[in-house]
Each structure stands twice: as structure tokens, then as C-alpha cells.
Amino acid sequence: MRTVTIVGASLSGLYAARELRAQGYDGRLVIVGDEPHAPYDRPPLSKDFLTGRADETHLALTDAEETAQLGAEWILGVRARALDARGPTVLLDDGRALSTDGVVIATGASARRLPGDTLDGVHTLRTLDDARALREELTPGPRRVVVIGGGFIGAETASSCSSLGHSVTVVEAAPLPLVPQLGAEMAAVCAALHRRAGVELVTGTGVAGLRGTARVTGVDLTDGRSLPADVVIVGIGAVPNTAWLVGSALALRDGVVCDDGCVTSLPQVVAVGDVAGVGGHRAEHWTSATQQPRVAVTNLLAGRTAETALAVPYFWSDQYGARIQFAGRRRDGDAVRLAEGELSDGAPAEGGFLARYERDGRTTAVLAVDRPRPFMRARRELARGAEEGQTQSVP
């Protein structure tokens, strides 16, 4: 290959660029990004950046020295418009056509929005510009903040707003936040973190609409209630950025369809990160975005699927001063056992806890709150079991 184009100046895009050079590719490398910013770390946006404990210099994922070593051509602030598979050629919004030999798709995902959420005071939190705008709104206080969605972004943002002294309400349509990820029993434990911090949690009801003319003044719920609001934060998931690929030869289904090695239906095109449906699963987690590029680049340079990228799922979240970590594949019906620590009034007691999800006498997943060392041991056991092709029992 003489030219490789990475579409997406994201975490996974940067890792793909690093892997290309590390694996010996010395040809032309082009990195296209729709944001004007160099790659930055997104997890702190809802936490330290939002609360003012970190500034933008702490978000940078690369520096001038590494940029020089990568020797890439950066095209930032320009959106990819289409992929012509015959070249392949990446077509840009500014009219340029980038002829290339290989493509790494790393375009990530965009925040899902509510219909009519164009009122002032309504925010999503996905990009640096999103975080800048929200942080500016939260500087004067206290404000009445309504967070729509109790997933990871919603919970972390609610935690940050609460720490800043704002009055916070979280609205979650499901009976409990994080039920799909954690199951009802452990989701109830994590929901208790909201209440313990003084955050109101409204569950089992959806949003009927937003109130206000120019600026938001409230949130109407489907159960007939109305919540007053000065600021509304919408955290209801994300949509993979695949619109530019419609009409290409690639299969699209909740992301770019890939095999177990991040290879698409075109061997010269791979996909990584939030946009990639690897082996039928799309994982919007930092770990996946940093682990998939190594395998994807190996297969891109080989022209075939030589390695697979399937690994034990892992994610973490920081909420209300607690570190939540989860690894494994939980299924409905798995039994949950508290292996270490204890609960206090339904919430994690001081020192946290470690819980194991079990099926047929084997551990299938582990959840920890403020128990990092025991969690890492359990996670390593799960990984060894996955490598052996079976779920490993953790003593």
C-alpha cells in the first residue's frame, strides 16, 4: 500500500495511525477529521473538564513531537461525504477526492437528539464543543438541571452538575438506569448512588416534550408531570456516523458491519471504534477504541483477516466519587453474588464491593465499585477463559 486514509481524527483513528507506523507502514498517511480539533480524550468531558478540574491541555492525546513522528497529512474541520469503493476514493465535503489504497473508518458516533431540542439551554455532551458550551452554562449557579437518560453519560454528567452545587434531576424511561448492562439487582445498587448524592431520580417515564419559546423552561413527562429546568442535558445514546457511507459497497447495520477482525466486506477497508460492528457487536467504550486498531491494521496490511479482535467486554464509569468497573458478558438469568464488601441502605458501603455474575457454576462477568485490585484479578481470569474458548470459573 502506498496510501492509507484514516477517516476520523478520533481516539481510535489516532491509535490506528500509531499502529500503522509501529507495524512498519512507511507510505503516505492521511487523517481526515470533521472537527477542527486534533484528537482529544472524550471521557474527561463529562467529568474533570465539565467541573473545571481539567482544561483543554489535559485532553490532548498527542503532541507536536508525536505528530512529527507519525508523518501524517492532517485534514481537520472537513467532513467525509462519500466512499467510492472502486478506487477506493474518499470524497470530502470541500470537493477534494482522496485516492487511496486502504481506508480505516474511525468516524465514531454522534449524540442522539430529541425532536425539537433546538431551544437555548438544551445540550448534548459528545464533543469538545459540546462540553465547552455546557461548562459555560453551568458556571453561574445554582441552576435547575434536568438530565434526560440515566446511562453512563447521563449519570456522569449528573454527578458533575451535582458536585458544582446545582439541583439535578435524572429522567430515565426504564425502571432503573443501566439495567441492560448490569441487570436489575446491581442497577438498583448503582441507582442508589444518585439518591445518596441528593440527585432526584425519576424512572419508568419518558419525555413528552420540552417547554419554552427561545429558551428551555421545563421538561414535560409522559406521565403528566412537568419538571422546571434552566438547563437540560440529553443523554439518550448515540448514532454511528455512517451516513457518508450510504451507497458504498459496505454493509451498514447499526454501524459498519465487520468480521471478527474489523474487516469490512471490502478487504482494503477496516473499521474501528464506536462506528464498527465487530463480529456483530458495536461497543462504545474507550477500551474497544484502543484495542481494535492493532488487529484492524494487521489485517488491513495483510489484505485478509489474519487476527481477530474479540475480547472480554470492559467498561468503567466515575459517578459521585465512586469508580464503577464491569467486565464480561452478562445474560438475563445469571445469578449475582456479592463476593467482597457489603451494601449500606442499598448503596455501596465504604470500601465498595465486588459482585460476580454466575451461570452453571462459572463466572460470566464481574462488577466492582471502588475495588480495583480484586476487579483486575477477576478480569484477567475472564480474559484467560475467553482465550481458552470458554468462560473461566473465578474462585
Side-chain angles (χ1 to χ4, degrees):
M1 290 188 174
R2 291 173 294 183
T3 300
V4 172
T5 301
I6 299 173
V7 186
S10 56
L11 174 70
S12 56
L14 176 62
Y15 269 69
R18 290 171 174 170
E19 282 295 336
L20 280 161
R21 294 311 190 200
Q23 294 188 33
Y25 174 73
D26 59 1
R28 183 188 179 207
L29 177 58
V30 182
I31 303 175
V32 179
D34 62 346
E35 294 185 61
H37 317 293
Y40 58 88
D41 204 15
R42 294 184 191 273
L45 294 179
S46 59
K47 299 182 277 288
D48 287 351
F49 182 79
L50 196 60
T51 58
R53 292 193 297 267
D55 59 24
E56 293 183 22
T57 61
H58 294 91
L59 303 178
L61 290 172
T62 188
D63 55 25
E65 181 179 357
E66 183 185 28
T67 299
Q69 290 174 348
L70 286 176
E73 300 173 31
W74 295 82
I75 303 176
L76 300 178
V78 180
R79 192 178 299 272
R81 178 173 57 84
L83 174 66
D84 185 343
R86 292 171 295 180
T89 301
V90 177
L91 306 178
L92 305 183
D93 264 353
D94 64 4
R96 276 180 283 183
L98 305 177
S99 180
T100 187
D101 300 302
V103 178
V104 179
I105 299 172
T107 44
S110 297
R112 193 183 301 275
R113 307 189 70 92
L114 285 174
D117 65 353
T118 56
L119 294 172
D120 289 345
V122 180
H123 297 264
T124 56
L125 184 54
R126 185 80 186 182
T127 68
L128 176 56
D129 290 340
D130 291 340
R132 284 172 172 170
L134 180 56
R135 188 164 79 164
E136 185 175 345
E137 283 247 40
L138 295 173
T139 300
R143 313 295 293 276
R144 295 170 300 179
V145 178
V146 175
V147 178
I148 301 172
F152 295 113
I153 290 296
E156 291 173 358
T157 306
S159 172
S160 296
C161 291
S162 176
S163 72
L164 291 170
H166 302 294
S167 173
V168 183
T169 301
V170 175
V171 179
E172 169 58 50
L176 286 167
L178 302 177
V179 168
Q181 295 86 356
L182 305 181
E185 186 175 347
M186 289 294 107
V189 174
C190 291
L193 293 172
H194 292 281
R195 299 188 178 98
R196 190 167 67 183
V199 170
E200 183 180 0
L201 184 60
V202 178
T203 60
T205 185
V207 173
L210 303 176
R211 287 196 174 191
T213 50
R215 183 173 181 85
V216 70
T217 59
V219 178
D220 290 334
L221 304 182
T222 53
D223 63 6
R225 282 181 288 176
S226 184
L227 304 175
D230 303 307
V231 176
V232 172
I233 302 162
V234 181
I236 55 174
V239 180
N241 291 325
T242 58
W244 68 285
L245 296 169
V246 173
S248 70
L250 300 181
L252 306 176
R253 187 172 61 249
D254 185 35
V256 179
V257 176
C258 306
D259 66 12
D260 293 348
C262 303
V263 179
T264 71
S265 53
L266 300 172
Q268 71 271 37
V269 180
V270 297
V272 292
D274 292 357
V275 74
V278 179
H281 300 282
R282 190 172 64 85
E284 294 181 17
H285 300 303
W286 190 92
T287 308
S288 300
T290 57
Q291 291 180 344
Q292 291 170 357
R294 183 192 66 79
V295 172
V297 165
T298 297
N299 295 334
L300 179 67
L301 296 178
R304 61 183 179 84
T305 303
E307 291 189 30
T308 62
L310 296 182
V312 173
Y314 165 68
F315 61 80
W316 81 91
S317 179
D318 294 321
Q319 303 173 22
Y320 307 105
R323 167 60 64 95
I324 301 170
Q325 295 173 286
F326 182 91
R329 294 181 174 87
R330 184 202 71 84
R331 290 201 315 228
D332 290 343
D334 287 357
V336 184
R337 176 171 61 90
L338 203 63
E340 296 185 22
E342 56 187 21
L343 304 179
S344 174
D345 295 327
E350 185 176 354
F353 69 86
L354 179 77
R356 303 190 189 282
Y357 296 77
E358 297 173 336
R359 186 188 320 130
D360 299 328
R362 299 181 182 275
T363 295
T364 59
V366 289
L367 168 70
V369 176
D370 294 334
R371 290 267 173 144
R373 290 184 180 179
F375 174 82
M376 291 308 296
R377 289 195 296 268
R379 183 187 174 196
R380 285 195 293 268
E381 291 290 345
L382 286 171
R384 283 197 290 270
E387 291 172 359
E388 295 167 5
Q390 61 182 1
T391 305
Q392 186 79 5
S393 176
V394 181

